[in-house]
């Protein structure tokens, strides 16, 4: 007797994963969108730095950037030394040589201007400091180009610096020529600039020096409250009669320091 073998059908359960999968995909897309927005924001915020990674500088840009660095060095130096790169008539303040803008070694006498045309004097100091360094920038760029097979010619560079409101402009006259097998590029001069408050500091320093000549002193509060609200002006009197003035921009924090000695009252009367 045969036993009838029955067939048992096991129905596999069907898992409906569609809603859950959709949610996961939406979450992933949201995260990717946030990351993408974040990356774009960083790139836009640092656009200059991002561009520089892929940017190849031209010879003129190389010389200009190198010149800017040395001009900034010069501005920083003279701003702590009364407008001089190598002070000769100075007051030693905390191991720093601060040049006198107006000076007399006599008591009971008004000072005499040491730099009657202060702006021109400081421009000359900047040129004296930067000229040999800028020439090195030019020679360095020339060497780099010659290694690439280019021919470079130029005259002895003439470098001038002009101070304007919020700016110092460098002009390099050199009649530069760059030749290769395909072309010749000619440049009569290179112009570049550095942002600086030096022009404004010089104008105020000249006013203070004029007060020192006429009155033997100046009222710092007047400059800060009425004339120059952006200005922080500090005056420190030294025991032998010298005054150290520090001019500071309240917003951007650069400063200019100089010394005066005028109308120092002695108890023994006029010397």
């Amino acid at each position: 007797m045969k036993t009838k073998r029955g067939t048992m059908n096991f129905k596999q359960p069907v898992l409906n994963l569609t809603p859950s999968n959709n949610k996961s995909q939406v979450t992933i897309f949201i995260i990717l969108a946030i990351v993408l927005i974040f990356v774009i924001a960083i790139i836009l915020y640092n656009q200059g730095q991002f561009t520089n990674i892929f940017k190849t500088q031209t010879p003129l840009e190389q010389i200009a950037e190198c010149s800017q660095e040395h001009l900034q060095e010069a501005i920083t130096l003279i701003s702590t030394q009364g407008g001089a790169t190598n002070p000769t008539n100075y007051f030693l303040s905390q191991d720093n040589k601060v040049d006198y803008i107006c000076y007399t070694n006599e008591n009971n006498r008004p000072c005499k201007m040491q730099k009657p045309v202060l702006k021109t004097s400081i421009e000359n100091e900047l040129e004296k400091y930067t000229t040999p360094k800028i020439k090195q920038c030019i020679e360095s760029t020339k060497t780099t180009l010659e290694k690439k097979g280019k021919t470079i010619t130029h005259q002895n560079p003439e470098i001038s610096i002009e101070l304007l409101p919020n700016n110092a402009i460098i002009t390099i006259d050199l009649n530069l020529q760059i030749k290769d097998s395909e072309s010749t590029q000619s440049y009569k001069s290179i112009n570049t600039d550095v942002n600086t408050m030096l022009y404004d500091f010089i104008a105020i320093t000249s006013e203070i020096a004029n007060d020192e000549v006429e009155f033997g002193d100046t009222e710092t509060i007047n400059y800060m409250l009425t004339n120059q609200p952006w200005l922080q002006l500090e005056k420190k009197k030294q025991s032998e009669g010298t005054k150290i003035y520090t001019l500071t921009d309240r917003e951007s924090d650069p400063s200019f320091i100089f010394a005066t000695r005028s109308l120092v009252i002695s108890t023994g009367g006029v010397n």
Side-chain angles (χ1 to χ4, degrees):
M1 181 177 178
K2 294 183 178 179
T3 305
K4 189 175 182 180
R5 184 177 296 177
T7 302
M8 296 183 63
N9 295 324
F10 293 94
K11 191 173 183 180
Q12 298 269 344
V14 177
L15 298 179
N16 187 359
L17 299 178
T18 302
S20 178
N21 285 341
N22 286 341
K23 289 181 181 178
S24 298
Q25 291 173 354
V26 170
T27 302
I28 291 172
F29 284 132
I30 291 174
I31 293 172
L32 290 175
I34 293 173
V35 171
L36 182 61
I37 292 170
F38 182 73
V39 170
I40 292 173
I42 292 176
I43 291 173
L44 292 176
Y45 183 77
N46 299 291
Q47 190 171 12
Q49 294 90 328
F50 182 79
T51 303
N52 287 339
I53 294 173
F54 304 98
K55 184 180 178 182
T56 300
Q57 285 186 317
T58 66
L60 265 64
E61 289 171 337
Q62 292 174 19
I63 295 171
E65 183 177 302
C66 184
S67 301
Q68 289 170 351
E69 291 174 0
H70 292 305
L71 178 55
Q72 187 59 63
E73 289 173 9
I75 291 171
T76 301
L77 178 64
I78 68 170
S79 294
T80 62
Q81 298 185 160
T85 55
N86 186 26
T88 54
N89 182 25
Y90 59 86
F91 182 86
L92 193 62
S93 174
Q94 298 178 346
D95 296 326
N96 186 44
K97 297 177 181 179
V98 182
D99 217 31
Y100 284 101
I101 300 298
C102 193
Y103 178 78
T104 179
N105 60 358
E106 299 180 271
N107 292 338
N108 306 300
R109 304 279 187 186
C111 63
K112 295 180 181 180
M113 287 289 195
Q114 304 300 295
K115 303 170 184 179
V117 188
L118 184 57
K119 176 176 175 289
T120 301
S121 173
I122 289 179
E123 287 172 340
N124 291 338
E125 288 289 303
L126 293 172
E127 290 172 8
K128 181 173 67 176
Y129 181 92
T130 58
T131 291
K133 297 178 181 293
I134 290 175
K135 287 183 177 181
Q136 290 175 3
C137 295
I138 296 168
E139 290 305 311
S140 176
T141 301
K142 178 181 177 180
T143 300
T144 300
L145 291 173
E146 287 175 340
K147 289 179 179 179
K148 296 179 180 180
K150 299 180 184 292
T151 301
I152 316 300
T153 59
H154 63 81
Q155 69 180 31
N156 185 35
E158 295 182 6
I159 297 159
S160 62
I161 294 174
E162 182 182 10
L163 294 172
L164 298 172
N166 301 315
N167 240 344
I169 298 176
I170 312 171
T171 300
I172 308 169
D173 293 321
L174 74 170
N175 285 329
L176 176 67
Q177 280 195 338
I178 304 173
K179 299 180 181 180
D180 58 24
S181 59
E182 298 179 353
S183 65
T184 299
Q185 299 173 350
S186 299
Y187 307 95
K188 183 179 179 181
S189 63
I190 299 173
N191 298 290
T192 188
D193 66 305
V194 169
N195 292 332
T196 175
M197 290 291 296
L198 202 50
Y199 180 94
D200 301 272
F201 287 147
I202 290 170
I204 296 169
T205 297
S206 298
E207 291 182 32
I208 293 172
N210 287 331
D211 287 345
E212 290 278 355
V213 171
E214 188 172 357
F215 307 112
D217 202 0
T218 191
E219 286 294 334
T220 58
I221 297 297
N222 291 340
Y223 285 94
M224 290 189 287
L225 295 182
T226 60
N227 298 334
Q228 307 291 347
W230 56 267
L231 176 68
Q232 176 70 40
L233 178 55
E234 182 182 14
K235 175 175 63 178
K236 290 184 179 180
K237 294 184 178 181
Q238 311 300 312
S239 59
E240 45 70 69
T242 291
K243 305 183 197 86
I244 302 294
Y245 287 92
T246 303
L247 287 65
T248 306
D249 182 357
R250 296 175 188 268
E251 296 180 359
S252 56
D253 203 37
S255 61
F256 184 80
I257 303 171
F258 66 95
T260 66
R261 190 181 190 276
S262 183
L263 209 60
V264 178
I265 305 300
S266 67
T267 55
V270 179
N271 289 346

